[in-house]
Amino acid sequence: MSIRAVVWDVDDTLFDYTTADREGMRAHLVTEGLMSRYGTAEQALDHWREITDRQWARFSAGEASFEGQRRDRVRVFLDAELSDAEADDWFQRYLAHYEAAWALFPDVLPALESLAASHRHAVLSNSSIHVQDRKLRLLGVRDRFEAVLCAAELGVSKPEAGAFLAACAALELAPHEVAYVGDHPEIDGRGAADAGLLSVWIDRGTVSAGAGAPVGPHRIGTLAELPAILGADTRFGAPSTFG
């Protein structure tokens, strides 16, 4: 059966999160007078990203709330005992710099345009609807998606099958009628494949695949390759088009 819908990840798939995060944090640290505290700018930025990854894993595992992981990111990064209000204020100041650097990847709009007439579209993210709905609106693409589903509201996160199946249910389609496109080889790639969706891993170079590409997902280097995969629906054993 042909693929009738595409469900998309957001951060580092549609939206250049890595660049925005680094540029935003760099500007924030300069404004806060904290850059010298961490040695070099790259050391500071790497430290922030490591803390973000650890705290996000806690949120995904249900060990922290969405707001709680944000506050703990600040506390660990500053190595300070801050009240919730103090941590929230610091994070909000960072967000102003981060949002100033927001941008879609250049291959996103052409891909959405090429698939607009042939496929339905939705979003599944391990974030919150408040964050991602606003982000998609500010980036000018919210109206391209029928539904936006997020882990904070669903109560289940990728790579759990339940998250992907919830997206299929929202579209009233079976998993084999839906493709999922995401940048993480395990959370997105393997998770979607294990849930029965046509899995497409967009390798933005931001996440290592470890010893090799996971079994299941198609691996692409640009969204320009996506229409051919969806049109052919070559799920079973097709070679990667990744160069």
Side-chain angles (χ1 to χ4, degrees):
M1 186 176 293
S2 63
I3 297 299
R4 299 174 60 188
V6 183
V7 179
W8 301 81
D9 175 51
V10 177
D11 295 347
D12 279 331
T13 296
L14 300 171
F15 159 65
D16 191 352
Y17 166 74
T18 293
T19 298
D21 185 44
R22 286 185 170 269
E23 290 183 0
M25 181 52 67
R26 186 189 301 273
H28 181 52
L29 292 177
V30 170
T31 301
E32 299 282 312
L34 292 171
M35 189 65 80
S36 61
R37 177 176 176 177
Y38 299 94
T40 68
E42 285 306 311
Q43 286 174 326
L45 296 169
D46 288 344
H47 185 47
W48 172 252
R49 195 62 186 266
E50 289 169 4
I51 292 168
T52 297
D53 289 345
R54 289 200 303 270
Q55 296 301 326
W56 198 260
R58 293 180 59 237
F59 165 67
S60 296
E63 299 171 1
S65 67
F66 184 78
E67 295 78 10
Q69 61 83 25
R70 280 186 166 184
R71 292 164 183 156
D72 287 343
R73 284 159 66 185
V74 176
R75 291 174 178 130
V76 174
F77 185 72
L78 297 178
D79 191 21
E81 294 185 7
L82 303 177
S83 67
D84 287 353
E86 289 171 330
D88 288 343
D89 286 346
W90 194 93
F91 197 88
Q92 288 301 316
R93 295 196 299 275
Y94 151 70
L95 280 181
H97 295 288
Y98 164 59
E99 291 182 7
W102 281 5
L104 296 170
F105 285 102
D107 59 357
V108 169
L109 289 179
L112 290 173
E113 286 291 340
S114 69
L115 298 170
S118 58
H119 293 79
R120 298 165 62 194
H121 298 271
V123 160
L124 173 64
S125 168
N126 270 2
S127 183
S128 76
I129 188 68
H130 170 73
V131 170
Q132 300 297 44
D133 187 85
R134 178 173 178 271
K135 184 184 294 175
L136 294 169
R137 290 182 188 282
L138 290 177
L139 291 170
V141 293
R142 175 60 184 87
D143 61 350
R144 294 177 180 267
F145 304 102
E146 292 182 30
V148 176
L149 293 87
C150 294
E153 291 73 32
L154 286 175
V156 60
S157 303
K158 300 176 296 180
E160 294 298 320
F164 297 99
L165 296 179
C168 295
L171 293 167
E172 298 185 335
L173 294 173
H176 64 265
E177 297 177 289
V178 179
Y180 189 82
V181 182
D183 73 292
H184 198 290
E186 293 295 329
I187 294 173
D188 296 317
R190 191 186 299 277
D194 288 349
L197 287 73
L198 172 64
S199 178
V200 182
W201 168 32
I202 172 69
D203 186 353
R204 298 290 193 190
T206 56
V207 183
S208 172
V215 176
H218 291 273
R219 183 185 182 190
I220 60 176
T222 170
L223 293 178
E225 300 174 64
L226 183 60
I229 290 175
L230 299 181
D233 190 16
T234 53
R235 224 176 330 208
F236 303 105
S240 169
T241 58
F242 187 85

